[in-house]
């Protein structure tokens, strides 16, 4: 076990959610933009329309600044935040997929080099070479996404890996292909959206109109295909995840509605500018990007919630406890040991006075247990942003210690919560702590 990263009020999970949702825009732009770019550049050379190059230079500059500054910063931010929020989860990912990450970084380096070479060789190399550099970027960045998607979908549905522990069994898991197709379609919608914003700032109106109409068609196709593959993705979910998707206590009905509404708004925006390219001004364009961000945040939050109670499906709980281990790789589960020696003893980062439950302050010990076992999904403050525990405790009516103990005893009767791990005395301490929250 590692120390718990305490983020007051907000909760560590939301820190990651915010960084990761933001990251989706620059990262999907980085993987998609060059497909549109190469398409337009090719047209410019083939049909001898050098005026189109004005757009390309601007578009690439936006990409360089937005994706390669904000995208890189937020990408590194995810690593840092995850490493402290879920150190054991990250460790498991690295131990299983170190060669996956290595391969991904190779393609990422190709991507970074290619975009600088592309940008600075404008007009300095022949057209064909320049187009090839663009294509190298486009393909390299898509491959890096295809690799990351393997590892991310593994966390939701590790499939046969749970019995074999083999690299490719986890990589090509049941939700891999639907997710890859969904993200590939989605990236075209993002490319279209940004192209429209950039084209709206062009001086030559006929160039702007041309780009906007083409970009909106890419956007419409991308958005429709994303919706389609989202459906396929839902079908491909393992049964427990599908069950969670249907539980309104976990995913309020409004969340999928927000996702659909955001996509409908996006689609409508593409249609509007297709009909009236002149309306593609900066303000509605940026607004469309913000709406997209809300939709993305909601969609990603669904993915996070249907993975509960796990951070790596079926293998590691969100609170970093590994219930059953992975015999194929000789990894033992934690539960049996924790139940016999106690979580306060098992976890090395507990203040000395709290280790032995008989002599410890009961409420403090209970609070420490809640910190270790519950705070990955519940903030402990009443005004917390993430399922604040005092509110939950009140909702469940845990007003007496007996009552609370019984509740803790069948925590895993809720399909989205891990079972309690610890000794009987620790259960009692946690119960006392929960009851103290009831009055807060
Ligand atoms: C893997 C994430 C996760 C962990 C860890 C977790 N919970 Fe929960 N808990 C949830 C979710 C999800 C809900 C459903 C409510 C919601 O989403 O708003 C919930 C609901 C609750 C409720 C309300 C139940 C009801 O009857 O409505 C209580 C009480 C609660 N949790 C207590 C705890 C305690 C105590 C711990 C630590 C021992 C804990 N939880 C650990 C995810 C978690």
């Amino acid at each position: 076990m590692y120390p718990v990263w305490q983020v007051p009020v907000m909760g560590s999970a939301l820190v990651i959610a915010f960084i990761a949702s933001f990251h989706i825009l620059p990262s999907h732009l980085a993987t998609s933009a060059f497909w549109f770019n190469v398409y337009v550049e090719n047209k410019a050379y083939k049909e001898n329309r050098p005026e189109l190059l004005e757009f390309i230079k601007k578009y690439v500059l936006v990409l360089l600044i937005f994706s390669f500054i904000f995208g890189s910063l937020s990408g590194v931010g995810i690593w840092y935040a995850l490493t402290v929020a879920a150190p054991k989860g990250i460790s498991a990912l690295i131990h299983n997929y170190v060669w996956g990450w290595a391969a991904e970084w190779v393609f990422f380096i190709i991507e970074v080099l290619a975009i600088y070479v592309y940008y600075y060789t404008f007009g300095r190399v022949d057209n064909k070479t320049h187009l090839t550099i663009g294509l190298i970027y486009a393909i390299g960045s898509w491959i890096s996404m295809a690799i990351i998607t393997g590892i991310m979908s593994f966390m939701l549905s590790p499939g046969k890996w749970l019995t074999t522990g083999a690299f490719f069994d986890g990589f090509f898991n049941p939700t891999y292909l639907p997710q890859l197709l969904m993200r590939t379609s989605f990236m075209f919608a993002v490319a279209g959206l940004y192209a429209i914003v950039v084209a709206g700032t062009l001086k030559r109106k006929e160039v702007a109109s041309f780009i906007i109409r083409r970009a909106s068609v890419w956007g419409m196709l991308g958005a429709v295909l994303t919706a389609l593959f989202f459906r396929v993705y839902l079908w491909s979910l393992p049964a427990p995840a599908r069950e969670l998707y249907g539980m309104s206590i976990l995913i309020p009905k409004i969340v999928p509605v927000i996702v659909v509404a955001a996509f409908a708004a996006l689609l409508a925006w593409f249609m509007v500018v297709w009909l009236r390219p002149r309306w593609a001004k900066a303000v509605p364009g940026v607004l469309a990007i913000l709406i997209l961000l809300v939709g993305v945040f909601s969609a990603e939050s669904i993915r996070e919630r249907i993975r509960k109670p796990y951070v790596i499906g079926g293998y590691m709980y969100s609170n970093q406890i590994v219930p059953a281990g992975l015999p194929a790789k000789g990894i033992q589960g934690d539960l049996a040991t924790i139940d016999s020696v106690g979580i306060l003893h098992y976890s090395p980062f507990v203040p000395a006075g709290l280790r032995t439950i008989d002599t410890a302050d009961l409420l403090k010990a209970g609070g420490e247990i809640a910190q270790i076992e519950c705070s990955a999904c519940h903030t402990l403050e009443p005004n917390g942003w993430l399922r604040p525990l005092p509110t939950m405790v009140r909702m469940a009516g845990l007003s007496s210690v007996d009552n609370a103990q019984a509740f803790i005893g069948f925590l895993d009767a809720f399909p989205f919560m891990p079972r309690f791990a610890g000794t009987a005395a620790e259960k009692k301490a946690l119960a006392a702590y929960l009851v103290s929250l009831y009055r807060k």
Side-chain angles (χ1 to χ4, degrees), residues 249-251 305 308-310 317-319 369-370 373-378 387 389 392-393 395-396 398 407-408 411 414 416-418 420 430 434:
I249 177 180
L250 186 68
I251 302 176
R305 290 181 221 202
K308 301 239 160 328
Y310 296 103
Y317 287 144
S318 301
N319 58 16
I369 296 169
E373 292 201 18
C374 319
S375 74
C377 307
H378 295 285
R387 307 182 193 95
L389 206 49
M392 296 286 124
V393 164
M395 223 164 69
L398 306 182
F407 176 84
I408 298 167
L411 212 54
F414 297 91
F416 40 77
M417 281 201 263
F420 171 76
L430 178 61
L434 293 186

Side-chain angles (χ1 to χ4, degrees), residues 369-386:
I369 296 169
Q371 196 70 258
I372 299 172
E373 292 201 18
C374 319
S375 74
C377 307
H378 295 285
T379 37
L380 304 187
E381 299 88 347
N383 59 346
W385 295 2
L386 184 70

